[in-house]
Amino acid sequence: MPHIASGLTESEQLALQREFRRLMKALPAPLDETDKKNLKRAFDLGLEAHAKQRRKSGEPYFFHPIEVARICVVEIGLGPTAAVCALLHDVVEDTDVTMEDIKNEFGDKIGHIVDGLTKLDGLYNVPSEQAENFKKVLSTLVEDVRVVLIKIADRLHNMRTIAPMPKHKQLSIAAETDYIYAPLAHRLGLYNIKSELQDIILRIQEPETYEEIEQKLTEGDLQRKRYIREFIKPLKEKLDELGFDYRIVGRPKSISSIYNKVKKKQVPFEEIYDLFAIRIILNVPAEKEKSACWLVYSILTETHQPIPERLKDWITTPKSNGYESLHTTVIGPKGRFVEIQIRTERMDEIAERGFAAHWKYKNVNTQQYIYENWLDNIRDMLDDTHKDALEFLSDFRTNLYAEELYVFTPKGDLKVMPKGATALDFAFAIHTDIGYHSSAIKINNKLVPMGYKLQNGDQVEIITNRNQKPNEEWLRMTVTGKARAKIRTALKDSKKKQSEDGMEKLERKLKGMKLDLEENVDMIAKHFGYNSRLDLYYDIAIEHFDLVHLKELEIESGKVVIATRQLPRTSVTDTEPSTSPALGKDMVQPRISIGGEDAEQYKYALATCCNPVIGDDIFAYVTSNAGVKIHRINCPNATHLMASYGYRVQKAEWVTSGNVQSVVNLKITGVDSGPGVIERVTNKISSGLGINIRSLSIEGREGYFEGKVSLVVSNKNQLNMVIRSLKNLQGISSVYREN
Ligand code: MN
């Protein structure tokens, strides 16, 4: 008898050893010596380290890691390394054993995985903290997916044994599981685990509904079994006759999936519970899989009417988590629907065990690239440093549940994209460089806008141009994490480059004023209300900041000082003339209330930097010498004005609702320029909508064009109508208001 770890009774220790032996037996034999040694040492270490801990139920804590290891092996199909890591997964978190100890004892590989598991442990009350943590773990996922698989096993066991926990704790664990672990299990193809998690979540969140469905299911059980038996009888005879090696299993629907259907489709419970489901699993060699499955399909549909729209062929094009199967629904006796899945043993194992089983069959007729694709996508999302953790998590979740569609390259290669992805997303999915330089896109040989939403089966051709580069607008035309991350990085780089120009300009100017750049720039930025010198440089470069304003600075012995008594006198927009030159004499000034009072009309003017029209959200800005200017809330100058001269900003509202004419500038981009476009645009605006065009220019290159239209509109509704109808014109990709 080995020594008994203090804190455990002899019989408890024996029970733990029994569980461990059960785990060892579940592992695929023969185990190599290192694995055997590591497993034994992990068991001894865990036994000792957790000896004094107990679970809420009162049983020794170490039962939990052993059971997690068993789930990894039996239910997920992982091997001995994962089992060792699972045995150790709570050791560092909960006991005196350190990460160092683990690495010394078991080597770097196991150390690395256990490290990842340790980081992810525990519940986080602050969502951002939880998200930050989760992001960390995902970076481990792209290196070794086992971290996440073991974590899912850990969560599954905790959910299975949640009953002794206080109710509020159960609810918060359920919520976290629902938010991230169930979707993750889904994405990794662990369908059984996902359903079980969701069932437990439902039992915690809505115990009464859960029990009701459960009871109804048990009540109808016998009857359902009898029906299925009758249904499959002729099918069995036929399959036997053809000499198939097969099994047919009834497929009870999970309680949570029934609940979701009732809730989502608003159908009565009976209708769903009446839905029968079976799975036909064939044992055939790899090369005959596809034809065998379709043969069974044709046998089945000879006797039963199929519902065509319910046919799903996941064999020809597997789902991106590797799922393969042929689905159909037929009308059975008494007019009832029977859902049927046809697949092979190999497909079944992948469906049950997901990612892990996929590895086992890596070399057999699989679509490894689909995983690679997905992992690439996660890597790209992780690279996107501009996003905060919460945003990341929500993007990641969308990605977990995103359905996919299948599109083709001009050479006929299949590419899996998430549903909702655009043509431009596709360009970035092919290659970052192709994305950067996309100038026009053809779908099935026809030019389309870059923001075109991909459809199943589209053949996509990207036309590139070395001079093309990403602009802000591209963010509105992409949805995938990869494309958006790359575009953001490119925009940031170009801002940086432009800022360098701005810095040089400022440096030259300051030299003339005998001021040193480095010594004064932060003071200058602060004086003009910029958060960073980079922002100041950038505004100088794009001429949003006029260096003339440097004259306002107070200088004492070669240094800029902050004016303490004197308020800054002018702002960027102060130098505008007081009446907008865009407005002719015949145009009436709209009436506006400022600070809650109807203002005298000669006292204010519409700012020309953003050209507000009636209906826009606006504010008033009191300039020092040019009266009051009315800006749009989303004017590019607004943030700067409000941040630096908040005391000069007043609330403003439109009083006039009638016919006051304002000039607005629209920017239009599209494909397939040529005389047709100008004509279509002018026709739509002038004849179609009866609106005056003041100017229109369109510039095209290689099938892509950009244009500017200056129009006179009475209010925002009219403007929106113009934008909407232009967007609907053939060949137009985007229409937006300038500034
Ligand atoms: Mn645990």
Side-chain angles (χ1 to χ4, degrees), residues 217 221 224-225 227-229 231-232 235 248-254 257-258 261 271-280 300 310 327-330 332 336-343:
L217 277 177
D221 203 36
R224 209 164 38 244
K225 277 189 179 137
Y227 182 88
I228 289 293
R229 244 193 336 267
F231 175 85
I232 60 178
L235 181 69
I248 297 179
V249 292
R251 203 159 50 84
K253 299 191 84 63
S254 80
S257 76
I258 292 175
K261 271 194 189 155
E271 211 166 283
I272 286 154
Y273 131 94
D274 254 0
L275 207 124
F276 301 94
I278 60 165
R279 181 178 299 156
I280 305 166
L300 190 72
R310 297 293 292 272
H327 292 191
T328 185
T329 299
V330 301
R336 286 173 166 175
F337 288 178
V338 183
E339 270 184 11
I340 294 146
Q341 299 178 342
I342 306 165
R343 55 169 75 153

Side-chain angles (χ1 to χ4, degrees), residues 497-510 517-518 521 533 536-538 540-541:
K497 249 188 227 123
Q498 278 179 294
S499 301
E500 278 163 25
D501 295 345
M503 182 183 77
E504 278 168 25
K505 276 189 195 164
L506 180 64
E507 190 167 26
R508 265 195 309 263
K509 183 82 186 176
L510 289 178
L517 174 82
E518 198 52 42
V521 60
R533 39 169 103 177
L536 171 66
Y537 294 154
Y538 183 68
I540 294 172

Side-chain angles (χ1 to χ4, degrees), residues 61 64 89-90 154 158:
Y61 189 86
H64 164 67
H89 84 270
D90 279 331
D154 181 27
N158 285 333

Side-chain angles (χ1 to χ4, degrees), residues 221-499:
D221 203 36
L222 262 179
Q223 199 197 343
R224 209 164 38 244
K225 277 189 179 137
R226 197 179 312 127
Y227 182 88
I228 289 293
R229 244 193 336 267
E230 258 168 60
F231 175 85
I232 60 178
K233 211 170 138 200
L235 181 69
K236 268 185 154 173
E237 282 164 12
K238 192 82 196 214
L239 290 175
D240 289 338
E241 204 181 298
L242 289 164
F244 267 112
D245 180 7
Y246 69 94
R247 57 196 172 98
I248 297 179
V249 292
R251 203 159 50 84
K253 299 191 84 63
S254 80
I255 292 178
S256 57
S257 76
I258 292 175
Y259 171 75
N260 284 337
K261 271 194 189 155
V262 173
K263 217 170 65 174
K264 205 159 63 190
K265 296 191 179 159
Q266 301 284 324
V267 289
F269 172 84
E270 272 63 31
E271 211 166 283
I272 286 154
Y273 131 94
D274 254 0
L275 207 124
F276 301 94
I278 60 165
R279 181 178 299 156
I280 305 166
I281 304 159
L282 308 169
N283 190 5
V284 290
E287 67 277 10
K288 289 196 180 137
E289 287 190 320
K290 198 173 168 180
S291 55
C293 290
W294 281 104
L295 179 58
V296 173
Y297 173 82
S298 75
I299 291 168
L300 190 72
T301 50
E302 262 164 35
T303 42
H304 298 289
Q305 181 68 36
I307 300 164
E309 60 267 31
R310 297 293 292 272
L311 176 64
K312 293 260 162 59
D313 176 8
W314 301 116
I315 293 179
T316 312
T317 41
K319 289 189 186 180
S320 66
N321 57 18
Y323 182 86
E324 293 169 74
S325 198
L326 193 58
H327 292 191
T328 185
T329 299
V330 301
I331 301 168
K334 297 177 201 155
R336 286 173 166 175
F337 288 178
V338 183
E339 270 184 11
I340 294 146
Q341 299 178 342
I342 306 165
R343 55 169 75 153
T344 65
E345 290 288 356
R346 178 189 66 81
M347 297 173 191
D348 193 53
E349 192 171 352
I350 288 176
E352 302 272 297
R353 290 179 168 181
F355 220 102
H358 194 87
W359 282 350
K360 181 171 155 191
Y361 294 104
K362 210 185 251 184
N363 305 316
V364 195
N365 184 32
T366 50
Q367 318 250 0
Q368 187 66 20
Y369 73 94
I370 291 181
Y371 284 130
E372 291 307 323
N373 233 338
W374 185 65
L375 287 176
D376 266 355
N377 207 346
I378 295 180
R379 274 184 210 113
D380 287 324
M381 283 198 280
L382 287 164
D383 283 346
D384 187 357
T385 47
H386 304 269
K387 259 189 289 190
D388 71 75
L390 271 179
E391 214 178 308
F392 167 82
L393 192 58
S394 116
D395 263 22
F396 181 73
R397 282 188 81 247
T398 319
N399 184 279
L400 289 177
Y401 275 135
E403 284 184 63
E404 49 264 337
L405 49 87
Y406 303 91
V407 293
F408 299 92
T409 67
K411 283 183 190 154
D413 291 335
L414 176 74
K415 193 97 194 154
V416 184
M417 299 291 296
K419 231 176 209 165
T422 66
L424 190 54
D425 281 313
F426 177 86
F428 278 93
I430 295 290
H431 195 280
T432 305
D433 262 348
I434 294 183
Y436 277 154
H437 302 300
S438 310
S439 62
I441 298 175
K442 282 182 178 175
I443 301 281
N444 308 326
N445 284 322
K446 269 195 187 145
L447 279 164
V448 295
M450 306 233 261
Y452 166 90
K453 280 208 179 348
L454 296 171
Q455 306 292 315
N456 248 326
D458 278 347
Q459 187 164 50
V460 195
E461 184 188 346
I462 310 290
I463 297 151
T464 56
N465 174 344
R466 245 186 291 157
N467 297 325
Q468 178 74 307
K469 55 178 197 252
N471 58 49
E472 292 275 344
E473 176 71 359
W474 283 21
L475 287 173
R476 287 185 241 185
M477 301 194 286
T478 45
V479 298
T480 58
K482 175 169 182 173
R484 298 175 63 80
K486 298 290 179 196
I487 294 168
R488 278 203 202 100
T489 310
L491 291 175
K492 205 182 162 202
D493 287 350
S494 94
K495 187 173 173 181
K496 224 191 233 157
K497 249 188 227 123
Q498 278 179 294
S499 301

Side-chain angles (χ1 to χ4, degrees), residues 664-668 681 685 693 695-697 707-711:
V664 289
N665 300 315
L666 295 182
K667 194 164 171 194
I668 307 179
V681 170
I685 302 177
I693 299 180
S695 67
L696 168 68
S697 67
K708 272 188 189 177
V709 195
S710 185
L711 316 158

